[in-house]
Amino acid sequence: MQNASIVYKPSYYNYLLDNSDGTQIIYNTKTGAIDIVENENKDKVKEILAGKQKYNSEDDLFAYMMEQGYVVEMEKNEIDDIREWSETANNAENIANLTILPTETCNFTCPYCFIYTFRDRHMTEEVYDNIFKYIRNFFEKNKEKEFCYLGLSWFGGEPLLVSKQIIKFMYRVLELKKQYPNVTMKSEITTNGYLLTYELFKRLLDAGIDKYQVTLDGDAENHDKLRTLSGKRPTFNTIYNNVLSIKEKADKDAQFIFVIRGNFLRSSVKNCEKLLQMYKQDLSDDKRFRIYFRPVYNFETDRNDISQVESDICGEVEGVEIQNRLSISTLDETENVLEKVSNPLPMPTQAWCTSIKHNAHIIGYDGAIFSCDTMIVEKDKAIGTLNNEGNIILNENAEIWKKSIFESQERLGEMAEECIKCRLLPVCMGGCNRARLMSGKNPCFWTDELIYSAMKSYAEMYA
């Protein structure tokens, strides 16, 4: 039986670019697909994208373009797909992500740190117990489901200042998990790395923490100007030697991911390039170690320490362009499958950050609940509290953080409509709520110009 012809239309989310060598590049933000169209297929692809005739599903090129999402059936409402995909994921009852701040104290004095006020306070046993109750309640509520996921992230302050308490808590949760065979759990820690000796790393790994992130501001020359101990004492060599020691001593079969985040200012891009060369030489042969780069962001605090480097912070477009260039440089050495940016093009995402998800919460040292990791510590920024029964009680502040761009149309008005109509919606889902709150306008991290530039970079990489 001959297959019926398909009535179709090109996807609204396509980007098409002519390449300098005569080929074309096609990219779709809804599916993340990208292809270089060779000369012999250009005319046919152009014809298909024009949507001027029906095609049979047995046509190989058309079938491939359908599979990649470059063309869709005529009756397909793509925005409904995006809405359903986002809201299904964000409202999932069987997935929880908790970021725990076991201390507000830090041993570093980084000028761009976004913590509003440093206070010498650590999480009490009562709050640990309440978090444990929340997790137990979550496991119990979902015990009949086929799958249940818990993500635990340790943040700060500097969490390794209270490593004993973290390890003790992790073992409690691991023991609890044994009662719930449907539960998958992952745990990670973000640390400045100064205290992360191999011996401590091994204890953390044994306690179930299998992902680590350490930040370096380029090489020692630049890093030791910014990420210092009190009295401006340097830290780079201690951190880097810790990383090398972990690589050298960790069992080859040990399962973990160790991520180096390279922060850059306008003046320190060369230092990040030097850091990348160090990574390639010392770490890249072990695929458990990865590297990526981000600009320093301008998050003002009541300390105003950021004024020391404010004039050196990249603008939004400039920062993304440098970030992409550095990311491309990592591709020959690391898979680098990290959040948001897919070297060099962005991939579809259910939400700009996890804050919007139903069971995603940041828990302060005293049980206050926050939604953005750059708006923590200050109680007026809290969106709720964790009570003694292990229940999270949200307040009126949660309205801003816990609803998708689709659910926020009445509150945001034209800003929401602008996002929903944008071809970049699938890769940002409305963008950063904090940035929108601070600026009163849509936070457009990606632009058409940046997408086309990244497409060119992709073509150069794979030419």
Side-chain angles (χ1 to χ4, degrees):
M1 180 183 294
Q2 187 176 6
N3 287 352
S5 295
I6 297 175
V7 180
Y8 71 95
K9 60 186 177 183
S11 171
Y12 178 70
Y13 300 97
N14 287 338
Y15 281 81
L16 191 66
L17 180 68
D18 290 324
N19 203 14
S20 57
D21 62 1
T23 60
Q24 285 184 323
I25 314 162
I26 185 170
Y27 164 65
N28 186 279
T29 59
K30 182 170 177 278
T31 64
I34 181 166
D35 283 281
I36 297 175
V37 182
E38 300 297 339
N39 289 328
E40 60 267 26
N41 289 323
K42 278 176 57 177
D43 289 343
K44 187 170 182 180
V45 167
K46 182 178 180 181
E47 180 183 87
I48 292 172
L49 291 176
K52 292 181 179 178
Q53 59 177 294
K54 299 177 182 179
Y55 269 87
N56 192 290
S57 60
E58 290 185 342
D59 182 296
D60 289 343
L61 181 58
F62 176 78
Y64 177 79
M65 293 182 67
M66 197 85 170
E67 177 187 338
Q68 299 302 306
Y70 301 130
V71 294
V72 298
E73 294 184 6
M74 183 63 73
E75 64 272 17
K76 170 70 72 176
N77 189 326
E78 293 185 278
I79 197 68
D80 284 349
D81 285 350
I82 297 168
R83 185 196 309 263
E84 180 180 0
W85 177 56
S86 172
E87 294 186 356
T88 297
N90 294 338
N91 295 319
E93 293 287 348
N94 61 330
I95 297 175
N97 290 279
L98 301 181
T99 298
I100 302 172
L101 311 179
T103 179
E104 290 185 9
T105 306
C106 190
N107 50 345
F108 276 27
T109 58
C110 311
Y112 54 74
C113 179
F114 46 69
I115 303 298
Y116 276 71
T117 303
F118 285 112
R119 297 178 288 204
D120 188 18
R121 297 177 182 176
H122 304 319
M123 186 169 282
T124 64
E125 284 299 319
E126 180 183 22
V127 177
Y128 280 113
D129 286 342
N130 292 341
I131 298 172
F132 183 82
K133 292 174 187 176
Y134 174 93
I135 293 171
R136 185 176 60 198
N137 293 344
F138 172 71
F139 287 174
E140 188 66 22
K141 181 179 180 180
N142 291 285
K143 66 181 179 180
E144 302 299 330
K145 293 180 181 174
E146 182 178 352
F147 172 77
C148 176
Y149 175 84
L150 173 66
L152 291 179
S153 299
W154 297 94
F155 198 61
E158 172 45 47
L160 293 187
L161 291 171
V162 290
S163 59
K164 290 181 181 179
Q165 291 87 339
I166 291 172
I167 291 168
K168 176 183 175 182
F169 182 82
M170 286 298 301
Y171 275 114
R172 287 183 70 189
V173 178
L174 289 177
E175 191 64 27
L176 175 68
K177 179 181 175 294
K178 293 177 182 178
Q179 303 173 34
Y180 300 91
N182 67 324
V183 170
T184 296
M185 189 176 84
K186 292 288 185 181
S187 185
E188 62 185 79
I189 190 164
T190 300
T191 166
N192 58 40
Y194 191 79
L195 301 175
L196 190 61
T197 61
Y198 170 73
E199 290 71 25
L200 179 53
F201 164 82
K202 183 64 166 59
R203 290 169 56 213
L204 293 164
L205 186 63
D206 290 345
I209 299 177
D210 54 13
K211 185 175 179 181
Y212 300 79
Q213 177 169 291
V214 167
T215 298
L216 294 170
D217 281 24
D219 62 358
E221 178 188 21
N222 187 72
H223 176 99
D224 286 339
K225 295 176 184 176
L226 298 172
R227 299 184 67 80
T228 60
L229 298 167
S230 60
K232 302 299 181 182
R233 288 174 291 164
T235 63
F236 182 90
N237 287 339
T238 298
I239 299 168
Y240 199 72
N241 287 333
N242 282 343
V243 178
L244 294 180
S245 178
I246 290 168
K247 186 207 172 192
E248 177 186 348
K249 296 179 181 180
D251 190 282
K252 299 304 180 185
D253 296 326
Q255 300 295 308
F256 64 88
I257 297 296
F258 199 109
V259 180
I260 296 172
R261 170 180 171 136
N263 278 351
F264 62 86
L265 294 162
R266 185 180 291 114
S267 65
S268 64
V269 176
K270 292 293 184 184
N271 301 92
C272 282
E273 291 171 350
K274 291 177 182 177
L275 174 64
L276 178 57
Q277 292 307 311
M278 294 174 68
Y279 164 83
K280 290 181 177 182
Q281 176 181 312
D282 299 331
L283 297 165
S284 64
D285 59 328
D286 187 333
K287 295 306 180 184
R288 295 174 297 186
F289 290 82
R290 301 172 181 176
I291 190 167
Y292 75 112
F293 296 91
R294 292 292 183 271
V296 170
Y297 297 107
N298 192 347
F299 295 137
E300 294 181 3
T301 69
D302 62 354
R303 305 187 320 278
N304 199 33
D305 292 348
I306 201 166
S307 61
Q308 301 173 42
V309 297
E310 194 167 14
S311 63
D312 203 15
I313 294 175
C314 298
E316 289 183 6
V317 173
E318 179 187 16
V320 175
E321 288 176 340
I322 295 171
Q323 171 182 300
N324 282 352
R325 176 160 55 82
L326 289 168
S327 293
I328 290 167
S329 299
T330 71
L331 287 184
D332 58 342
E333 301 292 346
T334 175
E335 293 176 7
N336 204 17
V337 282
L338 295 168
E339 301 82 1
K340 302 287 190 306
V341 178
S342 182
N343 296 318
L345 285 158
M347 291 291 102
T349 183
Q350 297 157 343
W352 180 254
C353 74
T354 57
S355 66
I356 197 171
K357 295 181 182 291
H358 176 69
N359 286 325
H361 304 288
I362 300 171
I363 305 175
Y365 86 99
D366 57 356
I369 301 298
F370 300 91
S371 203
C372 176
D373 61 11
T374 70
M375 301 182 76
I376 54 178
V377 177
E378 295 300 297
K379 284 296 186 66
D380 63 339
K381 307 295 191 305
I383 67 165
T385 189
L386 176 67
N387 68 19
N388 290 334
E389 287 73 47
N391 298 317
I392 289 176
I393 311 301
L394 297 179
N395 61 32
E396 64 277 4
N397 290 342
E399 173 76 13
I400 296 171
W401 305 99
K402 289 297 181 185
K403 289 189 175 181
S404 71
I405 194 70
F406 300 103
E407 298 168 309
S408 301
Q409 285 179 266
E410 183 176 348
R411 178 173 63 87
L412 295 177
E414 290 183 3
M415 283 194 291
E417 291 300 320
E418 180 184 17
C419 284
I420 291 169
K421 292 176 181 178
C422 180
R423 285 193 296 169
L424 294 168
L425 176 66
V427 298
C428 81
M429 298 307 295
C432 173
N433 277 323
R434 181 199 189 279
R436 183 181 287 106
L437 184 66
M438 295 295 101
S439 68
K441 61 183 182 180
N442 280 330
C444 297
F445 185 81
W446 286 99
T447 65
D448 286 349
E449 291 75 15
L450 285 172
I451 292 293
Y452 286 125
S453 175
M455 289 170 70
K456 288 180 181 178
S457 297
Y458 177 92
E460 291 168 0
M461 286 159 44
Y462 294 100

